[in-house]
Amino acid sequence: MHVLNTSSCFIDKFYYVQQPNIFEGFKFYFMGDFIPSYKGYIQDLLVAGGGTILHRKPISGAQGTLLLDSKPPTFIIYSLEMPDKCDPSKKNMILNRRQSDAEALASSTGAKAVSNKWVLNSIAACKLQSLAQ
């Protein structure tokens, strides 16, 4: 069974690599809590799609002025996944904090805050999804 899962994962990655580079020219910075293996998998998919992973926070003002209709070249990714032992009563507070922290960094650097769900939905559709919340 484990070999089958590994094979299907390889096939999924192989299939994805054959798709258009939907993230070509974009940079991605992961902010907040991610399960390391999950984060690594998403990073691998972004790189396979032509994206670049930033390992340091973007610097304020480094993006320059963006036109209103242009796509931001940098995305700040926050997680919608909750830890296994998370108190359900704190879920909304945690998710709101992650989003607001990512939006604050994005605002100060000219980037755009998006969730891990946006990344996965973009990959599934083979095109960037709407940035509207």
Side-chain angles (χ1 to χ4, degrees):
M1 184 70 171
H2 181 66
V3 173
L4 180 60
N5 287 340
T6 303
S7 297
S8 80
C9 182
F10 173 75
I11 290 169
D12 290 344
K13 280 187 179 181
F14 178 75
Y15 175 76
Y16 177 71
V17 170
Q18 302 305 315
Q19 298 304 309
N21 289 334
I22 61 173
F23 301 118
E24 190 71 42
F26 296 110
K27 298 175 185 173
F28 298 89
Y29 177 73
F30 285 75
M31 183 171 185
D33 299 324
F34 282 88
I35 297 170
S37 59
Y38 179 70
K39 179 180 175 182
Y41 184 69
I42 293 176
Q43 287 176 332
D44 289 347
L45 291 172
L46 289 168
V47 170
T52 300
I53 305 302
L54 300 176
H55 298 286
R56 295 182 190 184
K57 279 185 183 181
I59 299 171
S60 297
Q63 301 294 322
T65 304
L66 296 174
L67 298 175
L68 293 176
D69 294 332
S70 70
K71 297 176 189 172
T74 301
F75 293 93
I76 309 300
I77 302 173
Y78 61 93
S79 178
L80 295 176
E81 305 301 317
M82 299 304 296
D84 291 334
K85 298 178 182 179
C86 178
D87 180 351
S89 68
K90 295 182 180 181
K91 179 180 178 183
N92 285 338
M93 180 188 71
I94 292 169
L95 293 177
N96 288 339
R97 172 56 59 104
R98 288 179 183 176
Q99 182 177 2
S100 66
D101 289 349
E103 287 174 348
L105 178 60
S107 176
S108 71
T109 61
K112 181 68 178 170
V114 296
S115 71
N116 58 313
K117 183 178 178 182
W118 177 86
V119 173
L120 296 176
N121 287 341
S122 294
I123 292 168
C126 293
K127 68 178 187 173
L128 294 181
Q129 296 301 288
S130 170
L131 296 175
Q133 295 288 323

